[in-house]
Amino acid sequence: MTIQRTAFRLGAAAMAACALTAGLPAAAQSANSRGEQATGTRSAAGKSDPAGKPSKADQRMMRDIAQANIAEIETGKLAQEKASKDEVKQFGKTMVDDHSKALSELQEIASKKGVELPTEPDAKHKGTATALKALSGETFDKQYMSMAGLSDHKKTHEMLEKVQRNAADPDLKAYAAKTLPVVHGHLTTAQQVIGKK
């Protein structure tokens, strides 16, 4: 009787083990399938997740800031070539250096969020550059500092303040907050250079 009970228990244990073993691949397969689905979701989100993309208003602000940076870089290069005074040449160099850095940082944010930014000046800024190219000497200095130095930086400063207030995207808000003091410094320097004339 004891032997029969032992045999019965051994048989039941063997059957349970078989059932568990048979169930494992299915469970593993199910878990693996869930893992693949989760990975697929993450992969898709990393490439172009619509939910993670900034609003149209934020994208427009990013493009406007990019245009401002591009314009300052282009006219800054002109100032280095054409300015008659060293302080104007130096201001132009600072514009190229600082706005190239600012543009690069913005491009990094935009790239992560799937936003395409402009790569050349818009029609308005192209017109400004064309007008400046036709000038030379002190006339160039005066016009460059008035247009690119003072007027454009006032507009950029106002734009960044608006972005800091209204942008929904936290990275864009942080970018505006970081860039504002730099632009404010440019504006102050432009006012000082113009005041010396």
Side-chain angles (χ1 to χ4, degrees), residues 96-177:
V96 173
D97 293 345
D98 289 357
H99 285 282
S100 292
K101 183 181 177 185
L103 180 60
S104 178
E105 290 172 357
L106 184 64
Q107 285 169 334
E108 190 176 337
I109 294 168
S111 177
K112 287 178 182 176
K113 296 174 184 292
V115 178
E116 192 173 338
L117 296 179
T119 56
E120 60 179 30
D122 58 17
K124 178 188 172 185
H125 289 109
K126 279 181 180 177
T128 300
T130 301
L132 287 171
K133 281 177 186 176
L135 304 176
S136 59
E138 286 191 15
T139 306
F140 173 88
D141 293 358
K142 183 178 179 181
Q143 288 300 313
Y144 168 70
M145 291 307 303
S146 175
M147 294 163 72
L150 197 59
S151 180
D152 282 355
H153 277 92
K154 278 183 179 177
K155 290 172 187 172
T156 301
H157 194 274
E158 289 170 6
M159 177 172 57
L160 288 170
E161 285 180 325
K162 183 181 176 183
V163 171
Q164 195 176 11
R165 282 194 312 269
N166 301 332
D169 186 273
D171 294 329
L172 182 56
K173 268 184 168 317
Y175 173 88

Side-chain angles (χ1 to χ4, degrees), residues 16-43:
C18 286
L20 282 172
T21 307
L24 275 175
Q29 188 176 0
S30 175
N32 186 42
S33 175
R34 285 194 300 273
E36 283 175 359
Q37 286 171 357
T39 305
T41 303
R42 282 196 300 272
S43 176

Side-chain angles (χ1 to χ4, degrees), residues 26-95:
Q29 188 176 0
S30 175
N32 186 42
S33 175
R34 285 194 300 273
E36 283 175 359
Q37 286 171 357
T39 305
T41 303
R42 282 196 300 272
S43 176
K47 288 180 183 176
S48 58
D49 180 10
K53 205 164 187 176
S55 69
K56 287 185 179 180
D58 281 5
Q59 290 182 51
R60 187 165 52 251
M61 285 188 262
M62 290 172 81
R63 292 188 186 102
D64 288 345
I65 296 169
Q67 283 290 357
N69 281 318
I70 291 167
E72 289 297 340
I73 293 165
E74 293 301 310
T75 55
K77 288 176 182 176
L78 275 177
Q80 288 178 275
E81 294 170 14
K82 297 178 71 70
S84 63
K85 294 188 176 178
D86 286 342
E87 60 187 351
V88 178
K89 283 182 183 288
Q90 183 55 49
F91 184 83
K93 183 181 184 310
T94 302
M95 294 309 98

